Amino acid sequence: MKKLINHPAAVVEEMLEGFVAAHSRYVRQLPHNKRSIVSTNTVRPGKVGVICGGGSGHEPSFLGLIGKGMVDGVPVGNIFASPPPDPILEVTRAVDAGAGVIYLYGNYAGDCMNFDMAAELAGMEGIRVETVRITDDVASAPKSEEDRRRGIAGDFLVFKVAGAAADQGYSLDEVVRVTSKANQVTRTMGVALSPCFNPQTGRPSFELGPDEMEIGLGIHGEPGVQKGKIKPADEVAGELLDRILADMPLSRGDRAVVLVNGLGSTTYMEFFIMYRRTAQILAEKGVEIHRSYVGEYVTSLEMGGCSITLMKVDDELARLMDHPADCPMFVQM
Amino acid sequence: MKKLINHPAAVVEEMLEGFVAAHSRYVRQLPHNKRSIVSTNTVRPGKVGVICGGGSGHEPSFLGLIGKGMVDGVPVGNIFASPPPDPILEVTRAVDAGAGVIYLYGNYAGDCMNFDMAAELAGMEGIRVETVRITDDVASAPKSEEDRRRGIAGDFLVFKVAGAAADQGYSLDEVVRVTSKANQVTRTMGVALSPCFNPQTGRPSFELGPDEMEIGLGIHGEPGVQKGKIKPADEVAGELLDRILADMPLSRGDRAVVLVNGLGSTTYMEFFIMYRRTAQILAEKGVEIHRSYVGEYVTSLEMGGCSITLMKVDDELARLMDHPADCPMFVQM
Amino acid sequence: MKLTSADFIQALRKIADRIEQEKDYLSELDRAVGDGDHGVTMSIGWQAVKAKLEEFDGNSTCGEICKAVGMTFLNAVGSSVGPLYATAFIRGSAVLQGKTELNEDDIVQFWIAAVNGILERGKAQPGEKTMVDAWHPAMAALKASREAGKDLAASLEDAVKAAEQGMKSTAEMLSQKGRSSRLGERSLGHQDPGATSAYMILDSFTHTIKSLQSLAS
Amino acid sequence: MKLTSADFIQALRKIADRIEQEKDYLSELDRAVGDGDHGVTMSIGWQAVKAKLEEFDGNSTCGEICKAVGMTFLNAVGSSVGPLYATAFIRGSAVLQGKTELNEDDIVQFWIAAVNGILERGKAQPGEKTMVDAWHPAMAALKASREAGKDLAASLEDAVKAAEQGMKSTAEMLSQKGRSSRLGERSLGHQDPGATSAYMILDSFTHTIKSLQSLAS
Ligand SMILES: Nc1ncnc2c1ncn2[C@@H]1O[C@H](COP(=O)(O)OP(=O)(O)O)[C@@H](O)[C@H]1O
Ligand SMILES: Nc1ncnc2c1ncn2[C@@H]1O[C@H](COP(=O)(O)OP(=O)(O)O)[C@@H](O)[C@H]1O
Ligand SMILES: [Mg+2]
Ligand SMILES: [Mg+2]
Ligand SMILES: [Mg+2]
Ligand SMILES: [Mg+2]
């Protein structure tokens, strides 16, 4: 493991210093806790505050998505570890503008417990907090147990919907409604080719043979559902889509937003080759692609591989996906 | 080498199909040559046409930068190989709107010869073509021989200046003037940690020991100027900046645009740690950072490492850097 | 036997040292079923606790020490274990309030309250392959041995044995909670990292009690 | 001896086959001093040429074949070698215009024109560690041997020897042109890939000429 770092124990603090220095027009650290990062310009009276968060190591998520049309603040955790309630609460206070706050995070035990504790404390201070836990990872639990599923790359699309709704003046209840709807129609399947290295252990997150891939691997290196020989990209894309479409059928005339998300070290060339087959398959089924995102949105340090996410959109979701955004690591006109 | 591809020989074609499908609002392939990619909406009467190009494998450069405020067209080459004159000429015809065309590319023998041949052919068709070759790579030739230097990450900043100038209605001569000025004040030094794998040879571009880094390595894996043991990020950033500032001194009150560019497989966390030290060093020198870019702009497939680029800006360059851009893989509001 | 605030601080320091020694092993266990960081997280948390303990001495009450431990652990790590152990220590602190000396029953009540906190916060049932599979049988053994009239050290020894057995049994369980639950069948054969560190914590504490006892006798 | 258009096509096919065999070796040489793709590029180019040659037969003129070869190579590869060899073949085609049969002098003139094209397009001087270090001495030897009255095959053999020597000498040169020029001292000890493929092209062509000659005699 070779990394451009100073001390393994300091990576999160130093990343945040660099991030805030590079993007001081967009974000600032709160005084009490340097892991509380909030927008410099999106909080306004009556707007629902949108908070997303989780562990570090998923950049551009979560902190790169603070900005207009996206999220207002991010409490930052250790690498692949939920932030504690303290920064969550501090960010909550900073982004509440009287209309309440929504917490958005991938459905992991740690995030659930910490954000719930913070929500309870915020409630005691009179701030109304609602939560939507993102559960797009098809591989992480069977069909009948959707609410046990984890959140992975689909996080990004769900944040986008929530951020746009809040920016358009939706009430907290309405933001919760449309964000839950977005989560319910978002499905992701990923494939990993190589592990990431936690700078604090120096160990690979998993082992894969030189010609192996693993389908359904989590974004923290949690083992997946099926290990096998690497196959041509078209076959891999086909398998990922088969699993998504078996879980959430799409038919002729349906519209989808497509996200091909890189996990860290795979090339853009490969993402576009995966996208190509995805678009072909959707075209064969008569599904219209409303909008596409191809790149790195929710990484897993330098893991190799990518995921495909489909969000089945109605007019409302389509409109919210088209809403502009202006953040340090994601801009949409 | 594990990659999500189909046939090694088809990667460029399939990438382009995927890219154009994903970003059909921004780009289209020209009928005669599928490697000629042009903007769907930026060419307008009287605007100077801006073309950049080079080999594939540097995504988001070059094709991800086609759009408003950036470039109008890109002829695409094989992996790490200049495109031939044919697609260059075709793109030239498509983006010329009567005001002439500027060619921008990194100063490599192959690109120089192919673009020059195309420029000659375009001239014979009555299209005025001017060229600015980018030479930001400090490591690639000594100080007195700046015009022999290669173009690496600084390409992106120079494209940005040219694209903004053209969008603001500068004449071809004026675009050439300001772009040459931008090139003259742009310097990059890079560090590589791990090789990339050309999908067509399956071989690593170079060998580095498990605890080695290489300073000054080119974006095609061309060997660098100094191999050594990996050091803490702050020391590496210091060395890169030392070399840049020895070549282009900056003093108190000077303004710079900073780019920390990832080569492919290094994490954003590391880029921000490198940025942090860069900002500290510039602050110590009293240099004001006008604007910063941190992320992947000019990659080298999945090479590990990053580079630091400084562009010393005057009012005109600062204003052009602030001009908005809207491209598939780069948006600035 | 009696446990003073100074002893209590010492017992907590020992736990921190034990976790520090075992951190690579704990991360390796987590690598097989989770995200490979359990040792890092426990180390960060317990080292923060150890540093925080510098602020206390024999005059501090066990209750305030315990509460500070919980909050410090939580804010240092977040993660899954942060809320679980924070809740444990905060619940535990309630039964130690105002005390600078603990008797055997106080200590038993402390552990029972702490583990109840873990159960309530995490809502895991025994058999779901979590730390609960170490803590739950340990507390059952602790209570049973006390009811059978054994002294604290002997009862804790029984609890440690039960924790160890519970920890080992997680290898044969299908994961239901936490990151590893996505694994299904593939979690079989791997011991749960959280159950392992739970055993270590209780084992370290029990060692401290036994050496205090042998010093006293 | 005489070379018909069919022979010329055959000679070009043989070059494509030779490059195909050596492509990994050529890429390995480029890996040491450049971007590791010289074999890939030459292979793509010459395979495109080979496919294009299907459109020609003994009735085609060597000039048109040669021009098509140049354009095909160029459009298939771009890169550094595309313009260099395209210019070579286009210049070479000028001396073969209208001919379906070449005599020994035609062939000599063809090579001289082709290599002049490379020199003009690339502006490299001998000693800068490029293909010119193979082509330039090869042409000097070709001319000298012809002037000394040797036949085509013998003269080409001398040229091949000079090319080989030039190719080997590149290992001792500091790179000045192309990607490898950034290397400075570190380019020492590595043979230039472009000089190597240049030698192979000339060597393959010479083999064809020699076997045609032995067939004829
Ligand atoms: N709901 C829960 N109740 C009890 N223990 C849990 C629960 N969820 C997770 N755990 C424990 O947490 C351990 C993982 O801790 P750790 O790796 O530090 O956190 P993370 O999962 O956030 O990376 C698991 O091995 C398991 O024993
Ligand atoms: N200006 C030049 N004149 C002659 N030969 C050159 C010149 N520049 C580069 N070359 C040759 O091109 C070779 C590299 O070719 P190749 O690897 O196919 O192209 P690229 O450098 O574009 O990757 C070098 O080894 C060198 O012999
Ligand atoms: Mg974790
Ligand atoms: Mg090349
Ligand atoms: Mg873990
Ligand atoms: Mg090359």
Side-chain angles (χ1 to χ4, degrees):
Chain A
M1 188 203 63
K2 258 185 294 191
K3 292 198 189 253
L4 291 167
I5 62 176
N6 293 302
H7 309 289
V11 290
V12 176
E13 263 57 48
E14 293 187 354
M15 166 181 74
L16 292 181
E17 279 180 39
F19 177 74
V20 173
H23 297 297
S24 54
R25 288 183 308 131
Y26 289 98
V27 295
R28 63 193 172 95
Q29 287 173 300
L30 290 179
H32 171 55
N33 192 323
K34 299 206 159 231
R35 299 221 179 166
S36 304
I37 315 287
V38 299
S39 171
T40 52
N41 59 17
T42 63
V43 180
R44 56 172 198 266
K47 187 182 102 62
V48 170
V50 181
I51 293 177
C52 74
S56 298
H58 303 302
E59 297 71 31
S61 290
F62 304 96
L63 43 74
L65 305 179
I66 299 174
K68 204 183 130 35
M70 290 293 286
V71 311
D72 303 293
V74 168
V76 178
N78 287 329
I79 291 178
F80 295 170
S82 168
D86 196 51
I88 304 174
L89 181 60
E90 202 189 2
V91 170
T92 306
R93 288 189 197 116
V95 310
D96 177 44
V101 173
I102 186 167
Y103 287 175
L104 302 173
Y105 52 85
N107 180 39
Y108 296 88
D111 296 287
C112 295
M113 290 187 276
N114 285 285
F115 277 90
D116 278 354
M117 288 174 83
E120 214 176 294
L121 295 168
M124 286 160 56
E125 297 183 12
I127 304 175
R128 196 175 149 218
V129 172
E130 296 289 340
T131 295
V132 174
R133 294 172 177 166
I134 300 160
T135 57
D136 59 305
D137 181 8
V138 175
S140 60
K143 174 110 189 95
S144 54
E145 301 171 40
E146 275 95 344
D147 61 347
R148 281 187 49 222
R149 287 183 178 165
R150 311 297 172 221
I152 52 175
D155 284 1
F156 168 72
L157 299 182
V158 177
F159 300 158
K160 175 80 187 69
V161 166
D167 199 33
Q168 293 188 4
Y170 279 46
S171 69
L172 181 56
D173 287 339
E174 283 291 285
V175 174
V176 169
R177 176 192 57 76
V178 76
T179 307
S180 303
K181 176 168 80 173
N183 181 48
Q184 275 154 30
V185 294
T186 301
R187 297 285 186 289
T188 303
M189 273 298 303
V191 59
L193 299 189
S194 60
C196 56
F197 291 80
N198 183 320
Q200 289 162 355
T201 62
R203 304 276 292 141
S205 52
F206 53 86
E207 321 272 352
L208 270 183
D211 59 349
E212 280 182 335
M213 61 173 201
E214 184 156 347
I215 296 231
L217 208 121
I219 52 165
H220 312 90
E222 303 96 333
V225 294
Q226 193 195 312
K227 218 182 225 187
K229 289 254 172 294
I230 179 128
K231 293 178 187 160
D234 284 358
E235 279 181 50
V236 177
E239 276 187 36
L240 300 182
L241 280 174
D242 280 351
R243 284 173 186 258
I244 291 171
L245 294 171
D247 205 82
M248 179 180 70
L250 292 180
S251 31
R252 189 160 298 278
D254 282 342
R255 277 180 300 161
V257 168
V258 178
L259 163 64
V260 174
N261 176 64
L263 293 172
S265 63
T266 294
T267 62
Y268 294 95
M269 183 172 278
E270 290 160 88
F271 304 156
F272 286 115
I273 292 174
M274 292 291 282
Y275 180 87
R276 169 183 169 274
R277 184 66 195 137
T278 304
Q280 285 173 350
I281 291 172
L282 292 177
E284 283 160 18
K285 298 206 179 295
V287 174
E288 185 197 320
I289 298 180
H290 175 69
R291 186 178 269 276
S292 296
Y293 298 92
V294 181
E296 296 181 341
Y297 295 87
V298 184
T299 63
S300 187
L301 294 169
E302 70 280 76
M303 199 188 288
C306 68
S307 60
I308 299 175
T309 305
L310 299 186
M311 174 187 268
K312 179 177 166 178
V313 293
D314 58 13
D315 286 345
E316 183 184 36
L317 291 176
R319 191 171 43 76
L320 293 169
M321 289 308 301
D322 292 344
H323 188 75
D326 188 19
C327 314
M329 299 176 81
F330 171 63
V331 186
Q332 176 175 310
M333 279 204 174
Chain B
M1 187 205 63
K2 258 186 291 192
K3 292 199 189 251
L4 291 168
I5 62 175
N6 293 302
H7 308 288
V11 290
V12 176
E13 262 58 48
E14 293 188 353
M15 166 180 74
L16 292 180
E17 279 179 39
F19 176 74
V20 173
H23 298 297
S24 55
R25 286 183 309 132
Y26 289 97
V27 295
R28 64 193 171 94
Q29 288 174 300
L30 290 178
H32 171 53
N33 192 323
K34 301 207 156 226
R35 299 223 178 165
S36 305
I37 315 287
V38 299
S39 170
T40 52
N41 59 16
T42 63
V43 179
R44 58 174 197 264
K47 187 183 102 63
V48 169
V50 180
I51 292 177
C52 74
S56 298
H58 303 302
E59 298 69 33
S61 291
F62 303 96
L63 43 72
L65 305 179
I66 299 174
K68 202 181 131 38
M70 290 292 287
V71 311
D72 302 293
V74 168
V76 178
N78 286 329
I79 291 178
F80 296 168
S82 168
D86 196 51
I88 304 174
L89 181 60
E90 202 189 3
V91 170
T92 307
R93 289 188 196 116
V95 308
D96 178 44
V101 173
I102 186 167
Y103 287 175
L104 303 173
Y105 51 85
N107 180 38
Y108 295 89
D111 296 287
C112 295
M113 289 187 275
N114 286 285
F115 277 89
D116 279 354
M117 288 173 83
E120 214 176 295
L121 295 168
M124 286 160 56
E125 296 183 12
I127 304 174
R128 198 176 147 215
V129 173
E130 296 289 341
T131 295
V132 175
R133 294 171 178 166
I134 301 161
T135 57
D136 59 305
D137 181 9
V138 175
S140 60
K143 174 110 188 94
S144 55
E145 301 172 40
E146 275 96 344
D147 61 346
R148 281 187 49 221
R149 287 183 177 164
R150 310 298 172 220
I152 53 175
D155 284 1
F156 168 73
L157 299 181
V158 178
F159 299 160
K160 174 82 185 68
V161 166
D167 199 34
Q168 293 188 3
Y170 279 45
S171 70
L172 180 57
D173 287 339
E174 282 292 284
V175 173
V176 170
R177 176 191 59 74
V178 77
T179 307
S180 302
K181 176 168 80 173
N183 181 48
Q184 275 154 28
V185 294
T186 301
R187 296 286 186 288
T188 302
M189 273 298 303
V191 59
L193 301 188
S194 60
C196 57
F197 291 80
N198 183 321
Q200 290 163 353
T201 63
R203 303 276 291 140
S205 51
F206 53 84
E207 322 272 351
L208 269 183
D211 59 350
E212 280 181 335
M213 61 173 201
E214 184 156 348
I215 297 233
L217 208 120
I219 51 165
H220 312 90
E222 303 96 332
V225 293
Q226 192 196 312
K227 217 182 226 185
K229 288 255 172 293
I230 179 128
K231 293 178 188 160
D234 284 359
E235 278 181 50
V236 177
E239 277 187 35
L240 299 183
L241 279 173
D242 279 351
R243 284 172 187 258
I244 291 172
L245 294 171
D247 205 83
M248 178 180 71
L250 291 180
S251 29
R252 189 159 298 278
D254 281 343
R255 277 180 299 161
V257 168
V258 178
L259 163 64
V260 174
N261 176 62
L263 293 172
S265 62
T266 294
T267 62
Y268 294 96
M269 182 172 279
E270 290 159 88
F271 305 156
F272 285 115
I273 292 174
M274 292 290 283
Y275 181 88
R276 169 183 169 275
R277 184 66 194 137
T278 304
Q280 285 174 349
I281 292 172
L282 293 177
E284 284 160 18
K285 296 203 180 297
V287 173
E288 185 197 320
I289 298 181
H290 174 69
R291 186 177 269 276
S292 296
Y293 298 91
V294 181
E296 296 182 341
Y297 294 88
V298 185
T299 64
S300 186
L301 293 170
E302 70 279 75
M303 199 188 288
C306 69
S307 59
I308 299 174
T309 305
L310 299 185
M311 175 187 266
K312 178 178 169 179
V313 294
D314 58 13
D315 286 344
E316 183 183 37
L317 291 176
R319 188 171 46 74
L320 293 170
M321 289 309 300
D322 291 344
H323 188 74
D326 188 18
C327 316
M329 300 176 81
F330 170 63
V331 187
Q332 176 175 310
M333 279 204 174
Chain C
M1 70 163 302
K2 300 276 180 199
L3 195 81
T4 64
S5 288
D7 296 333
F8 191 56
I9 290 171
Q10 189 55 17
L12 293 165
R13 282 213 182 94
K14 284 268 163 68
I15 293 172
D17 294 342
R18 173 75 173 270
I19 292 293
E20 198 57 21
Q21 273 165 27
E22 305 273 16
K23 75 175 183 192
D24 289 343
Y25 172 61
L26 292 172
S27 290
E28 280 301 300
L29 289 178
D30 196 28
R31 223 157 66 87
V33 294
D35 59 350
D37 63 0
H38 185 61
V40 174
T41 301
M42 292 298 281
S43 157
I44 293 174
W46 279 100
Q47 290 304 307
V49 165
K50 200 173 165 182
K52 184 73 184 175
L53 289 172
E54 296 294 322
E55 296 174 18
F56 297 94
D57 59 24
N59 298 321
S60 320
T61 70
C62 291
E64 55 183 328
I65 294 167
C66 205
K67 194 170 164 207
V69 165
M71 291 311 293
T72 302
F73 190 87
L74 180 60
N75 280 317
V77 303
S79 140
S80 309
V81 291
L84 293 169
Y85 282 118
T87 309
F89 279 100
I90 289 162
R91 294 292 174 82
S93 78
V95 297
L96 306 181
Q97 248 166 357
K99 304 193 176 176
T100 52
E101 199 176 83
L102 307 180
N103 64 29
E104 300 208 343
D105 275 338
D106 289 334
I107 295 173
V108 171
Q109 288 318 310
F110 162 76
W111 278 111
I112 290 171
V115 170
N116 279 337
I118 291 175
L119 295 174
E120 278 175 38
R121 174 65 61 198
K123 298 190 187 66
Q125 302 293 321
E128 292 185 341
K129 199 180 181 104
T130 70
M131 63 171 72
V132 165
D133 293 305
W135 286 121
H136 190 267
M139 290 305 108
L142 182 64
K143 283 184 240 173
S145 299
R146 289 295 284 176
E147 277 161 24
K150 293 196 190 179
D151 73 1
L152 178 66
S155 303
L156 278 172
E157 281 193 344
D158 292 342
V160 167
K161 268 182 222 132
E164 188 176 10
Q165 217 178 315
M167 163 189 96
K168 286 184 177 158
S169 73
T170 59
E172 304 318 316
M173 291 174 189
L174 279 178
S175 175
Q176 305 286 337
K177 281 273 176 327
R179 296 190 192 281
S180 60
S181 62
R182 58 183 296 130
L183 270 179
E185 302 282 318
R186 284 178 62 185
S187 67
L188 285 177
H190 297 289
Q191 185 171 304
D192 181 63
T196 309
S197 58
Y199 156 76
M200 289 167 180
I201 289 169
L202 194 63
D203 186 53
S204 168
F205 185 84
T206 302
H207 273 288
T208 307
I209 295 294
K210 286 198 297 185
S211 46
L212 285 173
Q213 194 176 44
S214 66
L215 273 177
S217 64
Chain D
M1 71 164 300
K2 299 278 183 197
L3 195 80
T4 65
S5 288
D7 296 333
F8 192 56
I9 291 171
Q10 189 55 17
L12 293 165
R13 283 213 181 93
K14 284 268 163 67
I15 293 171
D17 294 342
R18 173 76 173 268
I19 292 294
E20 198 58 22
Q21 273 166 26
E22 305 272 18
K23 75 175 182 190
D24 289 344
Y25 171 62
L26 293 172
S27 290
E28 279 302 302
L29 290 177
D30 196 28
R31 221 157 67 88
V33 294
D35 59 350
D37 64 359
H38 185 60
V40 174
T41 301
M42 292 297 279
S43 158
I44 293 174
W46 279 99
Q47 289 305 306
V49 165
K50 201 173 166 184
K52 184 74 184 174
L53 290 173
E54 295 296 321
E55 297 173 20
F56 297 94
D57 60 23
N59 297 320
S60 320
T61 70
C62 291
E64 55 184 329
I65 294 168
C66 206
K67 195 172 164 205
V69 165
M71 291 310 293
T72 301
F73 190 87
L74 180 60
N75 281 317
V77 303
S79 138
S80 309
V81 291
L84 293 169
Y85 281 117
T87 309
F89 280 100
I90 290 162
R91 294 292 174 82
S93 79
V95 297
L96 307 181
Q97 250 167 357
K99 302 192 179 179
T100 52
E101 199 176 84
L102 309 178
N103 64 30
E104 300 205 343
D105 275 339
D106 289 333
I107 295 172
V108 170
Q109 287 318 311
F110 161 77
W111 280 111
I112 290 172
V115 170
N116 280 337
I118 290 175
L119 296 174
E120 279 175 38
R121 175 64 62 195
K123 298 188 187 68
Q125 302 293 321
E128 293 186 338
K129 198 178 182 107
T130 69
M131 63 172 73
V132 165
D133 294 304
W135 285 122
H136 190 267
M139 289 305 107
L142 181 64
K143 282 185 240 174
S145 298
R146 289 294 285 176
E147 278 162 22
K150 294 197 189 179
D151 72 2
L152 177 66
S155 303
L156 278 173
E157 281 193 341
D158 293 342
V160 168
K161 267 182 219 131
E164 187 176 10
Q165 217 178 316
M167 164 190 94
K168 287 184 176 157
S169 72
T170 60
E172 304 318 313
M173 292 175 187
L174 279 179
S175 177
Q176 306 285 338
K177 280 273 177 326
R179 295 189 192 281
S180 60
S181 61
R182 57 182 298 131
L183 271 178
E185 303 281 318
R186 285 178 60 184
S187 68
L188 285 176
H190 297 288
Q191 184 170 306
D192 181 62
T196 309
S197 59
Y199 156 76
M200 289 168 181
I201 289 169
L202 194 63
D203 187 52
S204 168
F205 185 83
T206 303
H207 273 289
T208 307
I209 294 295
K210 286 198 298 184
S211 46
L212 286 172
Q213 194 177 46
S214 65
L215 274 176
S217 67

